[in-house]
Amino acid sequence: MKKYQILLFAFLLPFFVLAQKNWSPEQVLKIKNISSAQVSPDGTKVVYTIREALMTDERSEYINHIWISTIDGLNAKQLTTGDKNNANPKWSPDNKSIAFTSSRDGKNNLYILPITGGEAEKITEAKGGISEFEWSNDGKKIAVITSDAPTDKDEKNKKAKNDWYMWEEELKQNRLQVYWIHHKDSTQKYIHKLLSKENISVYSFDWNTDGTSIVYSFGKSTKANDNNYSDIALINIETGLNKIIANTPASESAPQYSPDGSLISYYCTENPNDWPGAKHAKIYAIADGKTWRLKATPNEDGSIIGWTADGKNIVWSESNKTMTSIYTLSVDGKNITEFSKGEKKYIGATKINATHTYLTFTLQNTSEFPELYVSKLNEYAPLKITSLNSSLSSLPMGKTELIKWKGADGLEIEGLLTYPINYTAGKKVPLLLNIHGGPAGNFGQTCIASNQGTYPLAALIENGYAILRPNPRGSTGYGSNFRMANRQDWGGKDYIDLMSGVDQVIKMGVTDESMLGVMGWSYGGFMSSWMVGHTNRFKAASIGAPVVDLSFQNLTDDIEGFLPSYFKSDPWNNWSMYSEHSPLRYVQNVQTPVLLQHGEADQRVPLGNSIMFYNALKRRNIPVKLLVLPRQPHGPNEPRMVLKTMQTNIDWFGTLIKP
């Protein structure tokens, strides 16, 4: 009898294993992430934050807690606890304290905590909250960006239901303030001063060496569009005198002083600003006001991390096909060197410490979670600091490989193909085409298991699907010409690039025509809704926050310069072109069942896009569902909304395309 029981157990074991979901949405929500890090000025310690999802009967949010360790990752210690968010820790210049923002008293305010122990002291009382801050080099002052809060009159009018307003008049802005952290007034509040009194919004800033002035970038308002047309100014702390140093039709942003204070680096687009166009590092000289551009990077689209300690180089990070690279650019504009050359893992979240001696960053690959690393800035030599998800590291995620094919006009296109767990070569499985946003987004070799986002790749792989994530023309990571190759052609050659990728996977014998699905968010939602109007090859589509009517989109979104930059025209100057490239104009061709998902508070792609597509499909009797996510912006940012979106996608494809 025992023999037969053993045989029965052996027979049922595979089914038991399949039933144990390692990567269900509930499981991936338990993954921990590094959200920020900084090495101390003396290079002996590192402070970092770990983000986790918090879900209780009354709350659903991601919270961060602060940790500290020695520079080799040993002696890790948690500095903050509880159920309130504590984020963005930054070292004091004397290495003795850490400043950070926390929501422990309701609004996000600034606190300082001695690393030797004790209670954190609250520094600010900002009713609108603190979004960013920086220590002065002498440690005596901290500058902060605060958001305008409703006034007493605003609150009174709201209570009386007299809270009408004129659109885009009396805007709430982000203000620059400075706090003297060793001086209090008669009410025992820290002395502070408002620096940006004009009706502008401050986005980023940096202190000069002696703490007498600040350089900052600003725009007309807090709108994302105004951030993309920002300018740069200097302000004297004592006199309040402002001096504009960059004010052109280009976007000039993210200014940083050189270590000796004689130069300022900043990030600059082409002039006039071209959204998908080339971006470069530029230098402004304090002494004579001269400016010059540094050598172009391969992708011409990344970000300035900071300066090297000798002031001779700018450190720059950008996408490099499906990976990332860190470069040093000489300030004389002559040289570029790949600092991270030879790195086989995906680099993210790079940050230089205050003394320009150490770099913190994360490393990951498609089957390994991101972990925190540090390296000296004089030589790339990553040292691992954390092992946050070691208990999950042995769980299978499925193989991912880089594949290439010829798109429209013979252009080479890359994509990441992930196979189901324990896939057997030659076996045909359902294929989901996953299209990224942007369109100047990018699929990189990051871990397929994540506690954020909308499409639960690890769960879908575990359920038996293969997933193709292409980087068609228009994607970043392949140079500015490639990134601009879909200009005035959304739904044209980029569509061919994507469908050619599907054909390539079919040719490889991984799938066939009877089991294809498509999914994408934002521009990926645009392309998914375009596809179902131009082909019936897909058996199911999951479409998130789609742009379905380009004219409606351009006249209702928060980035009004975006589509005119791509299509070289405003809608009223070329209604026919905007109409020709709108998926809604082809809705009469759709036969594919469609799941729509959209955030109710989405300003980037307003909800009306999904409602229009839903109503048109419903009236045509095409199977369609619309998942509306309350409070969510352009993508869910609350754990329960992430959970719901992930599970809805699993159920949708599981019903229509069974593995």
Side-chain angles (χ1 to χ4, degrees), residues 105-381:
D105 289 335
K107 294 295 183 181
N108 204 45
N109 271 289
L110 183 70
Y111 293 78
I112 293 180
L113 176 67
I115 63 169
T116 54
E119 291 295 320
E121 182 181 9
K122 188 176 182 180
I123 304 299
T124 64
E125 295 283 354
K127 293 181 179 180
I130 302 293
S131 59
E132 187 54 271
F133 68 93
E134 291 290 345
W135 293 85
S136 63
N137 289 336
D138 60 10
K140 296 179 180 179
K141 300 182 287 291
I142 296 181
V144 302
I145 295 178
T146 63
S147 301
D148 284 346
T151 63
D152 292 341
K153 182 180 178 181
D154 293 334
E155 296 290 359
K156 182 180 179 181
N157 286 339
K158 184 177 181 180
K159 188 175 181 179
K161 294 183 171 54
N162 188 36
D163 50 346
W164 54 267
Y165 61 95
M166 292 292 184
W167 187 257
E168 292 193 339
E169 295 184 15
E170 299 184 21
L171 295 170
K172 300 298 182 184
Q173 304 283 30
N174 291 329
R175 312 281 180 180
L176 182 63
Q177 297 192 53
V178 61
Y179 281 75
W180 282 262
I181 61 173
H182 299 298
H183 298 87
K184 294 183 178 181
D185 61 19
S186 58
T187 65
Q188 294 304 299
K189 292 183 178 180
Y190 283 102
I191 294 174
H192 58 281
K193 181 180 183 180
L194 176 64
L195 297 180
S196 59
K197 299 178 182 179
E198 303 85 358
N199 192 29
I200 59 171
S201 185
V202 177
Y203 302 124
S204 63
F205 67 92
D206 192 34
W207 285 95
N208 74 339
T209 305
D210 61 11
T212 59
S213 67
I214 289 175
V215 61
Y216 63 95
S217 67
F218 67 95
K220 293 185 296 183
S221 76
T222 59
K223 289 178 63 176
N225 192 78
D226 290 334
N227 188 15
N228 279 278
Y229 294 91
S230 58
D231 298 315
I232 297 175
L234 291 169
I235 187 166
N236 183 283
I237 303 300
E238 183 177 348
T239 66
L241 182 65
N242 260 303
K243 178 183 179 182
I244 305 292
I245 65 170
N247 180 19
T248 73
S251 175
E252 297 119 342
S253 60
Q256 296 186 50
Y257 276 100
S258 61
D260 66 1
S262 64
L263 303 173
I264 294 172
S265 66
Y266 61 96
Y267 182 78
C268 192
T269 68
E270 292 181 350
N271 188 5
N273 184 9
D274 185 1
W275 288 64
K279 287 91 174 174
H280 304 104
K282 294 190 74 172
I283 300 295
Y284 173 87
I286 299 291
D288 55 16
K290 290 182 178 179
T291 62
W292 61 94
R293 200 194 85 181
L294 302 190
K295 196 171 182 66
T297 55
N299 189 43
E300 293 186 294
D301 183 22
S303 60
I304 298 173
I305 307 172
W307 289 78
T308 55
D310 59 10
K312 295 181 179 179
N313 297 280
I314 296 297
V315 184
W316 175 283
S317 175
E318 68 178 21
S319 296
N320 183 353
K321 297 184 176 179
T322 59
M323 302 295 284
T324 47
S325 291
I326 301 173
Y327 300 92
T328 55
L329 314 177
S330 64
V331 173
D332 60 14
K334 296 180 179 179
N335 300 308
I336 177 172
T337 303
E338 187 175 357
F339 175 71
S340 61
K341 189 173 183 178
E343 180 57 71
K344 302 299 183 184
K345 294 184 178 181
Y346 188 93
I347 306 171
T350 49
K351 186 174 182 178
I352 290 176
N353 70 339
T355 49
H356 312 277
T357 51
Y358 277 88
L359 185 71
T360 54
F361 50 95
T362 59
L363 291 178
Q364 61 182 304
N365 61 31
T366 56
S367 59
E368 293 182 16
F369 295 102
E371 296 291 353
L372 178 62
Y373 288 75
V374 300
S375 174
K376 290 184 177 180
L377 258 182
N378 58 5
E379 180 185 6
Y380 184 70

Side-chain angles (χ1 to χ4, degrees), residues 483-617:
R483 193 168 55 252
M484 293 186 288
N486 66 342
R487 194 187 293 277
Q488 295 182 299
D489 191 40
W490 286 22
K493 292 178 180 177
D494 48 2
Y495 167 70
I496 297 174
D497 294 343
L498 292 163
M499 296 307 297
S500 297
V502 173
D503 293 337
Q504 175 69 16
V505 179
I506 292 174
K507 184 179 178 180
M508 293 167 61
V510 176
T511 191
D512 64 32
E513 291 286 349
S514 68
M515 50 180 88
L516 301 178
V518 62
M519 58 189 186
W521 202 276
S522 191
Y523 174 80
F526 160 87
M527 187 56 70
S528 298
S529 52
W530 178 272
M531 283 183 163
V532 296
H534 287 77
T535 180
N536 294 326
R537 294 176 67 182
F538 297 103
K539 308 308 174 187
S542 169
I543 301 175
V547 175
V548 301
D549 185 306
L550 295 186
S551 296
F552 173 84
Q553 170 67 21
N554 177 243
L555 298 175
T556 57
D557 66 23
D558 66 346
I559 48 171
E560 58 262 31
F562 179 73
L563 282 173
S565 185
Y566 268 97
F567 285 89
K568 293 300 182 183
S569 173
D570 286 303
W572 51 87
N573 293 322
N574 199 334
W575 292 112
S576 61
M577 179 173 63
Y578 272 68
S579 178
E580 179 186 349
H581 293 277
S582 294
L584 190 62
R585 299 303 179 266
Y586 308 92
V587 73
Q588 67 274 8
N589 302 328
V590 178
Q591 298 297 323
T592 305
V594 168
L595 167 67
L596 291 159
Q597 304 142 97
H598 217 126
E600 198 172 51
D602 193 344
Q603 296 182 2
R604 185 60 38 83
V605 179
L607 174 61
N609 278 279
S610 281
I611 293 175
M612 286 191 291
F613 211 60
Y614 172 83
N615 284 334
L617 293 176

